[in-house]
Amino acid sequence: MLVHSNTTLNCGIFGVLHFRNCQFSMRKKWSFTSLPASLNIHDLTGNNDLHQMTKGLRYAKMSSQVKGKTKRGEQSQIAGRYGKLQRMSMYLKILGLEDCIAELKVIHVSGTKGKGSTCTFCEAILRECGFRTGLFTSPHLIDVRERFRINGLDITEDKFLFYFWECWHLLRENVTEDLPMPPLFQFLTVLAFKIFVCEQVDVAIIEVGLGGETDSTNVIKEPVVCGVTSLGMDHMEVLGNTLNDIAFHKAGIFKPQIPAFTVPQLSEAMSVLQDRALELMVPLEVAAPLDIEKLKGLELSLSGDHQLVNAGLAVSLSECWLRRTGNWEKVSHNDGQGADLPDAFVRGLSTAHLLGRAQIVYDISSVPNSSGLFENSSGELIFYLDGAHTAESMEACAKWFSSVVKGSGNSSLSSMSSTTKINNMEEVVQRNGYIGHKMEKTKQANKISKQILLFNCMEVRHPQVLLPRLVSTCASSGTHFSKALFVPSVSTYSKVMSGSSFIPLAISGKDLSWQFSLQRLWERIIHGADPVLEKSSMKESTEILPPCKFLYEDAPLCSPAEECFACSAVIPSLPLTIKWLRDSVQENPSIRVQVLVTGSLHLVGDVLKLLKR
């Protein structure tokens, strides 16, 4: 199968060594039948038309040489005489990017929570200021191209493929025993630098992958400004078991005399940040949370009170970048303390979008019909998606979810299938990158709302901490889950996926022991009981989906009687879960099912991918 492209790109002053005269043509055929044997090519378009397939996006399932044999959070086991950052520098030199990177005007951001949101706010602000932006974040939820944004948009399929294979082949040709092919994240980081250099961005906003001190992105030697978002306990198996250890790693992106900003931190973490800043003579400032009044009547595009902290940091980072690059006066007519934000800042903060963070999506099967009314024969199915996976972020997620379901008549509900105004709507609003609609309260009031949890997490995420925090925070606001559903994720950290990747309805032989352990934990939290089921009963329970009426009982009314879990269920695949939820709301026109999807960004991405179809 071949991929053709006729696009011609111009590298301009950022020309790299392997391009002739700084120009390169994408008029080239990529034959997947002649790729290295280590690549297992997977057709991700799902389109049988040959012409469309040759135009469509193709991604390689990374070989073990690209993705490595480690799980996310584990230390790389690559042997050799060079450390990770030494290898990164060598990869960049092979690609002719070593000197070019020094010309990039970088905002470098580390932290435990809010890195992606902060970087996204920075990108939107500086784009609204008139600059050509490059944004590198991780992980991706639906399509690997989400990691690479140019001027607010995912990189195009053609450009992604071209840059990918240029990097791949040059690195492959220079493999040695001491310098093997890079693991997945290192490769994608190198690819990001390649893209930003050749796309001639004015500013590159780079999110740290894990930690900071030894992260692949830390080959940046002289950023314009650095930022550290809220710190907490995460990736302890790599970064250490204390907040001191974690803060030390995160502050590892500080560079001598380069300004840095952080947010209010616990004293233990702040002391470490200040000490490391002092060692390097780094002017470190604490950015205050954004004052909502400065948005001049508009709303922050990313929901949740915690986003005010991230937005405040983004404002400080963006202003510092503008000042240090000599562009502040072009954007702002006043720079006094406490002054109003420049209009471009307000536009950026009110339009930035990031998938899977406090995002509300109306299922396509329950959106209004052409007359603007809901079908009387169907209930409503609404998904509330947030990739929270730490104790602090789970608490923020719970507060957000409770707030929006309590005021569901006023919340903006985004439909992935609708981008135009629908009749009988009070108004159309922009929230987190999608068009949302404020429904008439009278129509909302006719429905009986049921809150459902759809959950999965990695074992290292400590569900014994996450789930109690979620339940208690929601309960303190009067929100109680009727049922909880536990499912395995489809995606994995180490695969490069596209939005059209095939997802089977059911996966035979899937090990669900982890989901059953999550279910037992849930039952203990809700009832203080832990029914012991025979393994045969557990197997049978996943082969037969719960009846639709299972959703209708509230948790306080069900009890773990007759050795069964009455308030939760394990379903063997996510597509089956979505189908079952849709069938349930179709059966009962008086119900509104509000599903909180959380615990894993992979789970959130898989749900978005299924709903997008």
Side-chain angles (χ1 to χ4, degrees), residues 178-199:
D178 291 323
L179 188 68
M181 286 295 285
L184 175 61
F185 187 74
Q186 291 180 38
F187 182 86
L188 294 179
T189 303
V190 169
L191 181 58
F193 289 128
K194 165 82 166 182
I195 290 170
F196 295 158
V197 165
C198 289
E199 289 296 313

Side-chain angles (χ1 to χ4, degrees), residues 119-138:
C119 288
T120 300
F121 280 133
C122 286
E123 186 280 328
I125 288 171
L126 294 174
R127 174 163 39 86
E128 289 293 340
C129 289
F131 297 97
R132 182 169 174 80
T133 59
L135 174 65
F136 177 58
T137 59
S138 60

Side-chain angles (χ1 to χ4, degrees), residues 219-295:
V219 289
I220 302 166
K221 295 179 180 178
E222 194 172 340
V224 174
V225 61
C226 296
V228 179
T229 64
S230 298
L231 298 179
M233 306 300 290
D234 196 16
H235 297 299
M236 286 91 78
E237 68 281 1
V238 175
L239 304 180
N241 293 316
T242 69
L243 199 54
N244 273 344
D245 294 335
I246 291 172
F248 185 87
H249 276 277
K250 305 293 185 181
I253 67 169
F254 290 169
K255 300 299 186 295
Q257 301 181 43
I258 299 296
F261 292 84
T262 188
V263 299
Q265 308 277 6
L266 293 175
S267 58
E268 184 180 0
M270 187 64 78
S271 295
V272 175
L273 296 181
Q274 290 171 336
D275 288 344
R276 296 214 70 180
L278 187 62
E279 291 173 10
L280 297 171
M281 293 185 290
V282 168
L284 176 65
E285 295 184 34
V286 178
L290 179 70
D291 180 357
I292 197 69
E293 297 297 323
K294 291 191 175 184
L295 290 180

Side-chain angles (χ1 to χ4, degrees), residues 183-389:
L184 175 61
F185 187 74
Q186 291 180 38
F187 182 86
L188 294 179
T189 303
V190 169
L191 181 58
F193 289 128
K194 165 82 166 182
I195 290 170
F196 295 158
V197 165
C198 289
E199 289 296 313
Q200 301 182 53
V201 299
D202 298 316
V203 54
I205 301 103
I206 307 292
E207 178 191 353
V208 165
L210 193 158
E213 179 89 17
T214 60
D215 185 71
S216 301
T217 65
N218 209 25
V219 289
I220 302 166
K221 295 179 180 178
E222 194 172 340
V224 174
V225 61
C226 296
V228 179
T229 64
S230 298
L231 298 179
M233 306 300 290
D234 196 16
H235 297 299
M236 286 91 78
E237 68 281 1
V238 175
L239 304 180
N241 293 316
T242 69
L243 199 54
N244 273 344
D245 294 335
I246 291 172
F248 185 87
H249 276 277
K250 305 293 185 181
I253 67 169
F254 290 169
K255 300 299 186 295
Q257 301 181 43
I258 299 296
F261 292 84
T262 188
V263 299
Q265 308 277 6
L266 293 175
S267 58
E268 184 180 0
M270 187 64 78
S271 295
V272 175
L273 296 181
Q274 290 171 336
D275 288 344
R276 296 214 70 180
L278 187 62
E279 291 173 10
L280 297 171
M281 293 185 290
V282 168
L284 176 65
E285 295 184 34
V286 178
L290 179 70
D291 180 357
I292 197 69
E293 297 297 323
K294 291 191 175 184
L295 290 180
K296 305 173 184 178
L298 296 178
E299 295 184 19
L300 205 60
S301 61
L302 303 183
S303 301
D305 292 342
H306 60 289
Q307 292 293 359
L308 294 173
V309 175
N310 299 326
L313 178 58
V315 167
S316 294
L317 291 172
S318 299
E319 180 178 337
C320 182
W321 186 92
L322 288 166
R323 290 184 183 279
R324 297 201 72 215
T325 58
N327 290 295
W328 175 248
E329 295 301 328
K330 301 175 187 176
V331 174
S332 175
H333 299 295
N334 59 74
D335 57 357
Q337 187 173 5
D340 289 341
L341 291 176
D343 290 343
F345 278 49
V346 175
R347 291 195 302 270
L349 292 169
S350 60
T351 59
H353 63 94
L354 186 62
L355 292 179
R357 278 74 164 183
Q359 183 179 357
I360 308 173
V361 180
Y362 244 106
D363 181 43
I364 192 170
S365 64
S366 60
V367 297
N369 60 23
S370 58
S371 65
L373 300 174
F374 286 96
E375 297 284 357
N376 291 329
S377 60
S378 174
E380 295 174 28
L381 180 57
I382 310 164
F383 291 89
Y384 300 77
L385 304 112
D386 192 276
H389 52 265

Side-chain angles (χ1 to χ4, degrees), residues 51 68-69 111 119 174 193 201 237 265 311 406 427 454 463 475 485 499 602:
H51 177 67
K69 296 182 179 180
C119 288
N174 288 273
F193 289 128
V201 299
E237 68 281 1
Q265 308 277 6
K406 287 297 181 183
E427 60 181 295
L454 181 56
L485 307 175
H602 296 307

